[in-house]
Amino acid sequence: MAELLVQKLQSFPRSIRVPGDKSISHRSAMFAALAQGVSRVDGFLPSEDCLSTLYAMRAMGAEVREISRSQEQGMSVEIGGCGLRLRPPAGVLDCGNSGTTIRLLSGIIAGQGFEAQMIGDASLSKRPMKRIADPLRLMGASVEGQGEKICPPITVRGGQLHPIRYELPMASAQVKSAILLAGLFAPGVTTVVEPVATRNHTERIMSHFGIEWWREGPEISVRGLEGRPFAARDLVVPGDISSAAFWMVLAAANPGRELLLENVGLNETRNGIIAVLKRMGAEIITQVQSADGEPRGDVLVRGGALRGTRIGGAEIPNVIDELPVIAVAAALAQGTTRIENAQELRVKETDRIAVVADSLRAMGATVREFEDGMEIDGGGPLHGAEIATHHDHRIAMAFSIAGLMASGQTRILGSDCIATSYPGFEGHLASFCAAP
Ligand code: S3P
């Protein structure tokens, strides 16, 4: 098991360029594989999660040609699509640690004329797939998995789908996207009703590929394509704000420091971390540019004396992946921070409420845990500790940031999980540990 040793912060680089957005990279591979013709994707995130998606699309007939790969620019890849009709995979599809891969692929396979089995690692094998099985079965597909929660391995058999109008029982972009993808293969209009707005990358990439969809209040609808494929189109993936969030918190918690994060995705359904850190006392300046329908730009963070805040309600889906590192910011802020309505955190790569609360306590913070969130009394000194990551990349990275702000040494146990979303993280971390 790999481990990462983190010491107190020594220096501050001027700027960081984080790798490509995970959510957008997954969708770029899936839509390019369904398109007619060859799409070039630049800035694709070559992390384990996104490669799981790319390899799955290749196993189902997409032609994948890697053009280049670098730390600075990510991966450039050409994807020759199948024009909606994929080919049955020769073996099982390994989704690794990736919930987005298994859930969105299920929506696509539901619309194909074959059966495929999807497996995952120990963490993914505990995650509930019932949330996609229920609507996909209503549409006419067969979805079988393990136990009541329908955990992986799961087998999806495509069929003649029919459109549905489905009220999501939870705020989940993965479930919304699985239904919209299946809706492309159903005749007529498929509608998803969201309890709270979630990330809209699937909708934006559908616009990019010229697929008709519309939104009326909380309802998002697509019209089935009746077997008519959409054309290939190139796209450029911006940097991942969820990866930038680690450095944003670090800069925010250091008064007098300034850090520039370059080429960060600034989609309005993902940029809640900026509002939260501003509320806590940081100064943040963004310069938004738009391309491919996904806003992006540079983000300058100036540290301040952070104070506690309240995070809940409609803001939660917008910061869902950032909550572990926001909890670290809360431990570094004066006063109390309350996070509520975040029960979805319990079914992520690990139970992020329990693991964040335990890990913060191990470093000296006072945390009260609730079913749907936690309250953190911040401002006390943090000390180094051993952190068990439970194979959760965001726990590993959030507590690396805590380690930079703590006395002594922090040991991140099982740090290899970082590769699921942020290749190059350890190099960026090292730039804060080097002697000035
Ligand atoms: C994602 C949606 C979110 C998020 C995950 C990526 C996506 O999950 O936590 O990291 O790309 O659609 P849920 O849909 O389970 O909330």
Side-chain angles (χ1 to χ4, degrees), residues 178-246:
I179 300 168
L180 294 175
L181 279 159
L184 300 178
F185 300 94
V189 175
T190 293
T191 299
V192 183
V193 189
E194 290 192 296
V196 188
T198 63
R199 63 189 65 193
N200 63 10
H201 302 301
T202 299
E203 295 91 308
R204 282 178 182 269
I205 205 166
M206 288 199 295
S207 299
H208 184 71
F209 279 97
I211 300 168
E212 186 188 358
W213 70 275
W214 59 98
R215 179 174 193 117
E216 284 164 303
E219 303 194 1
I220 301 131
S221 302
V222 283
R223 194 184 306 283
L225 297 172
E226 309 276 1
R228 280 188 302 273
F230 52 90
R233 270 198 79 179
D234 297 347
L235 63 90
V236 183
V237 179
D240 197 326
I241 191 166
S242 300
S243 298
F246 300 109

Side-chain angles (χ1 to χ4, degrees), residues 248-249 252-253 271-285 301-320 322-323 326-327 329-330 333-341:
M248 288 169 69
V249 165
N271 62 3
I273 176 79
I274 295 177
V276 169
L277 291 177
K278 280 185 176 171
R279 237 167 35 230
M280 294 181 83
E283 191 188 334
I284 303 187
I285 302 164
V301 184
R302 289 202 183 105
L306 297 188
R307 49 187 180 269
T309 187
R310 260 184 115 92
I311 304 156
E315 194 171 32
I316 291 295
N318 200 318
V319 292
I320 190 76
E322 290 67 75
L323 286 171
I326 287 174
Q334 290 299 325
T336 298
T337 293
R338 189 178 167 95
I339 298 171
E340 54 197 11
N341 314 121

Side-chain angles (χ1 to χ4, degrees), residues 366-378:
T366 302
V367 186
R368 288 172 294 282
E369 186 183 326
F370 312 112
E371 193 41 44
D372 71 337
M374 65 190 102
E375 225 167 46
I376 300 155
D377 295 334

Side-chain angles (χ1 to χ4, degrees), residues 73-415:
Q73 302 301 326
M75 186 168 161
S76 290
V77 60
E78 274 180 356
I79 301 171
C82 301
L84 295 181
R85 289 281 149 232
L86 301 176
R87 170 182 92 196
V92 296
L93 299 171
D94 187 351
C95 301
N97 188 247
S98 177
T100 309
T101 306
I102 199 165
R103 293 196 176 118
L104 272 61
L105 273 189
S106 297
I108 293 174
I109 294 165
Q112 304 293 321
F114 57 78
E115 176 179 291
Q117 193 187 35
M118 284 171 279
I119 59 168
D121 69 4
S123 151
L124 189 63
S125 300
K126 287 192 214 132
R127 298 181 67 186
M129 298 303 139
K130 185 174 184 312
R131 49 182 60 198
I132 48 129
D134 286 346
L136 295 177
R137 285 171 177 169
L138 284 174
M139 293 180 83
S142 144
V143 184
E144 299 303 332
Q146 316 305 309
E148 243 173 69
K149 293 193 285 179
I150 319 209
C151 293
I154 61 168
T155 301
V156 180
R157 183 151 29 84
Q160 195 50 56
L161 299 186
H162 36 264
I164 54 169
R165 180 180 184 283
Y166 192 74
E167 293 193 17
L168 288 182
M170 74 293 290
S172 167
Q174 291 175 353
V175 181
K176 168 178 69 175
S177 302
I179 300 168
L180 294 175
L181 279 159
L184 300 178
F185 300 94
V189 175
T190 293
T191 299
V192 183
V193 189
E194 290 192 296
V196 188
T198 63
R199 63 189 65 193
N200 63 10
H201 302 301
T202 299
E203 295 91 308
R204 282 178 182 269
I205 205 166
M206 288 199 295
S207 299
H208 184 71
F209 279 97
I211 300 168
E212 186 188 358
W213 70 275
W214 59 98
R215 179 174 193 117
E216 284 164 303
E219 303 194 1
I220 301 131
S221 302
V222 283
R223 194 184 306 283
L225 297 172
E226 309 276 1
R228 280 188 302 273
F230 52 90
R233 270 198 79 179
D234 297 347
L235 63 90
V236 183
V237 179
D240 197 326
I241 191 166
S242 300
S243 298
F246 300 109
W247 314 120
M248 288 169 69
V249 165
L250 184 63
N254 279 282
R257 295 295 197 175
E258 193 175 284
L259 182 66
L260 182 70
L261 294 148
E262 294 171 322
N263 183 41
V264 178
L266 292 169
N267 180 309
E268 74 287 358
T269 61
R270 292 283 301 285
N271 62 3
I273 176 79
I274 295 177
V276 169
L277 291 177
K278 280 185 176 171
R279 237 167 35 230
M280 294 181 83
E283 191 188 334
I284 303 187
I285 302 164
T286 53
Q287 273 191 326
V288 186
Q289 303 136 16
S290 245
D292 304 348
E294 284 287 354
R296 63 198 70 200
D298 291 344
V299 179
L300 182 73
V301 184
R302 289 202 183 105
L306 297 188
R307 49 187 180 269
T309 187
R310 260 184 115 92
I311 304 156
E315 194 171 32
I316 291 295
N318 200 318
V319 292
I320 190 76
D321 292 339
E322 290 67 75
L323 286 171
V325 76
I326 287 174
V328 170
L332 298 168
Q334 290 299 325
T336 298
T337 293
R338 189 178 167 95
I339 298 171
E340 54 197 11
N341 314 121
Q343 57 279 2
E344 275 295 301
L345 282 184
R346 293 209 182 266
V347 288
K348 294 293 176 191
E349 284 81 336
T350 184
D351 176 344
R352 285 186 178 158
I353 295 179
V355 174
V356 165
D358 286 349
S359 307
L360 282 179
R361 282 189 201 114
M363 297 185 78
T366 302
V367 186
R368 288 172 294 282
E369 186 183 326
F370 312 112
E371 193 41 44
D372 71 337
M374 65 190 102
E375 225 167 46
I376 300 155
D377 295 334
L382 294 184
H383 53 75
E386 273 192 7
I387 303 295
T389 56
H390 303 272
H391 214 79
D392 185 332
H393 53 129
R394 299 210 194 276
I395 297 295
M397 292 185 278
F399 284 89
S400 299
I401 301 304
L404 287 172
M405 297 300 290
S407 60
Q409 179 173 273
T410 296
R411 291 174 64 195
I412 309 288
L413 309 177
S415 56

